[in-house]
Amino acid sequence: YQARALRTDRTPAATSMSADAARLIPLLGLAGEAGQLLAEYKKRLRDGPGHVLFVDRVAEELGDILWYVANLASKYELNLDEIADQNLLKVGALYDKKRAAHRFDADYGEGERFPRRFTATFYEIREGSRIEVRTEIEGVLVGAALTDNAYQDDGYRYHDIFHIAYAAILGWSPVLRRLMRLKRRSTPLIDEVEDGGRAAVIEEGIAAVAFDYARKHQFLADVSDVDEALLSTLRGMSAHLEVASQPPSYWRQAVIDSFGIWRQLVTNGGGRVEADLDRREIRYVGPANPITTAPADAAE
């Protein structure tokens, strides 16, 4: 189709027209035909069943769009078959969850490996107008008490749930490794690069970026998808780390599922969350029991 479409090109790049101008023609054509397609839909909304040729018009406009796509590809010396294949791979990576994920700590001993299942409990403690959250994992209080660190109550005090979700769904969380004292010290370079301070700062940044996005979208309530641009940003931030091997589909799941649990924690003032790394799941299982343990040593 691309080769045959090129035969009817009236603005070939080889003419006296500049290459930029020759490429601008199909770009403008794409915009115009997309506008025509929208115009046909407008008529459909206005006229309803009276627009009896609606489907035929859609087919015609899609054909014109396809011609301009092929022409633009030709003028950039791109192969439309290859573009189509690359697009299918990209979309597959965005939504396909069938591929088996690499367990980044599978070859390490128990003291340097995430447990495949664990329970985290979030306790909300109020003193006047001050609200802080403490987190316990399998009977041990981890990290420091957290507040929103904001002028207004926005629930960020529960943001450790994001690190738990990253561990459960992506198999990755340098922050949680430090809190659970599971850093891979037996391999110094891995300990420094993957489990060190820079990686932890990047993860905190990822959580903050996702939180800002969610804040602008009602904290993802009744949302089944997120913008591809967000996933690209999050993955780009961690591109030099082991988690880069995880497909966008798992990043999407980690963002959406973590905010689903986050909303329940905020609504209920805390609670218990189960993480299952083999099933790539986190789930809210009920309210929290009173704190019965002392804080763990937070040292690395």
Side-chain angles (χ1 to χ4, degrees), residues 104-125:
F104 303 121
D105 57 9
D107 297 329
Y108 291 83
E110 184 176 350
E112 298 180 314
R113 190 172 64 230
F114 280 130
R116 304 314 294 167
R117 295 186 66 181
F118 62 87
T119 299
T121 307
F122 294 81
Y123 304 95
E124 189 170 276
I125 300 172

Side-chain angles (χ1 to χ4, degrees), residues 204-220:
E204 292 287 10
I206 285 172
V209 170
F211 192 84
D212 184 63
Y213 173 91
R215 188 205 320 270
K216 298 171 183 175
H217 296 81
Q218 298 182 338
F219 291 108
L220 308 189

Side-chain angles (χ1 to χ4, degrees), residues 122-139:
F122 294 81
Y123 304 95
E124 189 170 276
I125 300 172
R126 294 175 178 261
E127 296 180 2
S129 60
R130 179 180 176 82
I131 309 173
E132 64 181 31
V133 168
R134 299 177 187 175
T135 305
E136 177 186 280
I137 296 180
E138 295 298 340

Side-chain angles (χ1 to χ4, degrees), residues 13-230:
T15 64
S16 58
M17 179 181 295
S18 71
D20 286 341
R23 292 164 180 163
L24 181 60
I25 298 299
L27 280 171
L28 294 174
L30 268 176
E33 296 301 335
Q36 288 295 321
L37 182 60
L38 290 173
E40 292 299 330
Y41 195 75
K42 179 205 70 176
K43 295 176 185 176
R44 172 69 172 180
L45 291 175
R46 182 192 63 195
D47 301 336
H51 190 5
V52 294
L53 297 178
F54 172 68
V55 174
D56 292 337
R57 293 286 184 261
V58 168
E60 181 180 353
E61 298 303 337
L62 288 176
D64 291 340
I65 289 171
L66 185 59
W67 188 94
Y68 281 114
V69 167
N71 188 261
L72 190 62
S74 295
K75 286 180 176 171
Y76 278 100
E77 298 183 353
L78 298 171
N79 184 289
L80 208 54
D81 285 332
E82 293 176 0
I83 291 173
D85 287 339
Q86 291 169 4
N87 178 260
L88 291 175
L89 289 174
K90 170 188 169 183
V91 175
L94 283 169
Y95 295 98
D96 182 13
K97 297 181 181 179
K98 295 180 180 179
R99 69 176 71 185
H102 176 61
R103 285 178 53 184
F104 303 121
D105 57 9
D107 297 329
Y108 291 83
E110 184 176 350
E112 298 180 314
R113 190 172 64 230
F114 280 130
R116 304 314 294 167
R117 295 186 66 181
F118 62 87
T119 299
T121 307
F122 294 81
Y123 304 95
E124 189 170 276
I125 300 172
R126 294 175 178 261
E127 296 180 2
S129 60
R130 179 180 176 82
I131 309 173
E132 64 181 31
V133 168
R134 299 177 187 175
T135 305
E136 177 186 280
I137 296 180
E138 295 298 340
V140 177
L141 288 173
V142 295
L146 300 177
T147 68
D148 287 340
N149 293 130
Y151 291 113
Q152 296 180 334
D153 183 339
D154 64 2
Y156 199 71
R157 57 190 176 274
Y158 285 106
H159 86 273
D160 276 349
I161 188 59
F162 304 135
H163 304 308
I164 292 171
Y166 301 158
I169 297 169
L170 297 171
W172 170 84
S173 176
V175 171
L176 198 64
R177 280 195 186 279
R178 178 179 59 82
L179 293 177
M180 298 179 70
R181 301 168 68 180
L182 295 172
K183 294 182 67 177
R184 291 165 285 182
R185 296 187 185 278
S186 62
T187 308
L189 187 59
I190 293 294
D191 182 32
E192 177 184 354
V193 176
E194 297 291 351
D195 302 344
R198 181 181 177 185
V201 169
I202 288 172
E203 185 186 354
E204 292 287 10
I206 285 172
V209 170
F211 192 84
D212 184 63
Y213 173 91
R215 188 205 320 270
K216 298 171 183 175
H217 296 81
Q218 298 182 338
F219 291 108
L220 308 189
D222 301 319
V223 168
S224 60
D225 206 348
V226 295
D227 293 343
E228 184 182 338
L230 171 68

